Amino acid sequence: MAEPLHTLGARAAAERVRRGELSAAALTDAALARTAATEPTIGAFLTVCADEARAAAAEIDRRVAAGDDPGPLAGVPVGVKDIICTAGVRTTAASRILEHFVPAYDATVVERLRRAGAIVAGKVNCDEFAMGSSCENSALGTTRNPWDPARVAGGSSGGSAAAVASAACPVTLGTDTGGSIRLPAAFCGVVGIKPTYGRVSRYGVMAFASTLDQVGPLGRDVADTALVLGAIAGHDPRDATSSPRAVPNFVAAVEEGVRGLRLGLPREYFAAGLQPDVERAVRDTIRALEAAGASVTDVSLPHTEYAVATYYLVSSAEASSNLARYDGVRYGLRVEDAGGLGAMYAATRDAGFGAEVKRRIMLGTYALSAGYYDAFYGKAQQVRTLIRRDFEAALAGCDALVSPVAPSTAFRLGERLDDPLAMYLSDVLTLAVPLAGLPALSVPCGLDAAGLPIGFQVIGRAWDEATCFRVAGAVEASGVWTPRSPLP
């Protein structure tokens, strides 16, 4: 019996389309049908681009018939986080203030996906302006976890992870500011990587915290994820923070194995509060990597206890500045007849922003205000330097660090909505990495007693995503996890 088309991985699908054995049109129709079947339960998408996707698929098929090679992602349906601009397709940031905003241009990462032959199948849900850990802060609907719809998909790229886990798309794009790719990847049992800061262009990506935000792919398996990162990475003159460094062959790294690699275990990431099932699965995976030829040693990241406070001060300060542009004048929502310019600003922002966004704007504005800047924002930047030096010291003696992605598996919908601190602590094992600008990857490594996926985190040196893929490929090869969708 032939394999259903929606279960094909990105590499397998693209290879068949390039050889003319499978049409991009059939692949796209299968993805759209799967999306229609799963959306009522999961809610991963904010916009499904059916007409645009079918037109793009027809063009791919025309090029194949003409003897052209459409690229390494030929005909592959991709979901794009709705904080990344797409020409002619609304891009909302999951916020009422941009609910009807339609960009006039593609972000660089979307341009590069299209150039590689990929097809944008839709825009996927996220926490509003990427602020959240559960995908419950979206103003346009909550995304549910395909492994248990009563639980969260993780945030802020919850739609990206749920779309892959439900087999609506083999790969998607997300963004990671404090763990927003790795946490939902772990909760939904898919692979996700946050690249080194500067590896991927942020041009056309709505800014949350400019010194932390990075775009990265999520995929059903490690090699698919590596393929997409290779397609979107590289220098972009339109982004001043984009690096001119050469992009390695990430897919080739997946098969290299871990023999001879030195892996560090940060002892602060195995502290009290770790769910026993999570610790068991992660330590079993570490033993499997040792059996495959890696050596393991304990390391310390002594300033880890300050990472949560540092992250929320830095990111909120940058958010308060970046979101000042949404004032009802330039684009998006405008509340009319408010009684003057200042009143219009206030009424528009009050009506357009959700509670979590307002909370972070107020926190960030306070931290930047006269008399408090040195005590809060300036101090946070000093601690950020100490956190970065911790990683540099630990990685001086290791090729990569390994740890859990989160202290627990996916929690229940609504469980932490009334407790912002408990929600913020969901990211306690991921948010130090963006402060240091390093690459980090989440790969599934098992299930807990409730049948929910557990994520294994690999943290690399700057610009060394290839080693992250080597370790993740070895995790997959060890058999602790087989890529699959929980839905029939």
Side-chain angles (χ1 to χ4, degrees), residues 127-451:
D127 285 299
E128 185 176 2
F129 283 100
M131 297 179 190
S133 305
S134 66
C135 219
E136 294 172 288
N137 290 328
S138 168
L140 306 179
T142 297
T143 296
R144 296 170 179 271
N145 193 315
W147 290 83
D148 179 353
R151 296 180 184 265
V152 303
S156 65
S157 304
S160 305
V164 174
S166 62
C169 293
V171 288
T172 56
L173 291 187
T175 62
D176 192 313
T177 303
S180 290
I181 289 175
R182 290 162 286 154
L183 185 68
F187 280 7
C188 291
V190 302
V191 180
I193 184 167
K194 173 222 168 291
T196 308
Y197 185 81
R199 174 68 85 187
V200 176
S201 171
R202 293 182 296 114
Y203 177 78
V205 181
M206 294 174 182
F208 160 19
S210 301
T211 68
L212 301 167
D213 300 338
Q214 273 292 276
V215 180
L218 297 94
R220 199 169 297 159
D221 63 30
V222 178
D224 277 2
T225 310
L227 178 66
V228 177
L229 180 59
I232 64 174
H235 182 241
D236 177 10
R238 294 175 295 188
D239 177 359
T241 64
S242 167
S243 170
R245 287 172 180 263
V247 178
N249 184 337
F250 298 126
V251 177
V254 175
E255 303 293 335
E256 290 181 10
V258 291
R259 184 162 300 282
L261 286 186
R262 299 161 299 168
L263 304 178
L265 270 61
R267 63 177 65 100
E268 293 82 2
Y269 284 27
F270 292 84
L274 197 58
Q275 185 178 316
D277 284 350
V278 172
E279 180 164 6
R280 171 193 50 76
V282 170
R283 291 198 181 277
D284 285 350
T285 304
I286 291 167
R287 282 189 281 273
L289 293 174
E290 286 183 294
S295 60
V296 177
T297 184
D298 285 340
V299 298
S300 179
L301 301 171
H303 294 95
T304 295
E305 64 178 300
Y306 306 113
V308 172
T310 302
Y311 170 81
Y312 279 98
L313 276 166
V314 171
S315 64
S316 297
E318 294 184 13
S320 73
S321 175
N322 279 323
L323 270 62
R325 73 192 68 180
Y326 303 106
D327 55 10
V329 175
R330 297 169 179 81
Y331 33 64
L333 175 72
R334 175 185 296 179
V335 173
E336 304 285 359
D337 303 323
L341 184 63
M344 188 276 288
Y345 286 165
T348 296
R349 289 167 68 81
D350 183 44
F353 289 138
E356 182 61 29
V357 173
K358 290 176 184 173
R359 183 181 296 122
R360 299 200 194 196
I361 289 174
M362 293 174 68
L363 177 63
T365 303
Y366 183 80
L368 291 175
S369 59
Y372 297 99
Y373 179 96
D374 289 339
F376 293 106
Y377 183 73
K379 184 66 70 177
Q381 290 291 16
Q382 291 173 336
V383 178
R384 181 180 188 174
T385 299
L386 297 177
I387 291 170
R388 177 173 54 79
R389 289 175 180 167
D390 283 352
F391 279 106
E392 289 173 351
L395 286 164
C398 300
D399 297 294
L401 309 181
V402 294
S403 76
V405 174
S408 71
T409 51
F411 47 89
R412 293 189 177 279
L413 288 162
E415 185 177 308
R416 301 183 185 180
L417 274 180
D418 296 329
D419 188 345
L421 184 57
M423 186 73 84
Y424 295 168
L425 289 173
S426 305
D427 292 325
V428 67
L429 303 181
T430 59
L431 44 70
V433 168
L435 290 170
L438 300 175
L441 178 150
S442 173
V443 59
C445 67
L447 300 173
D448 70 2

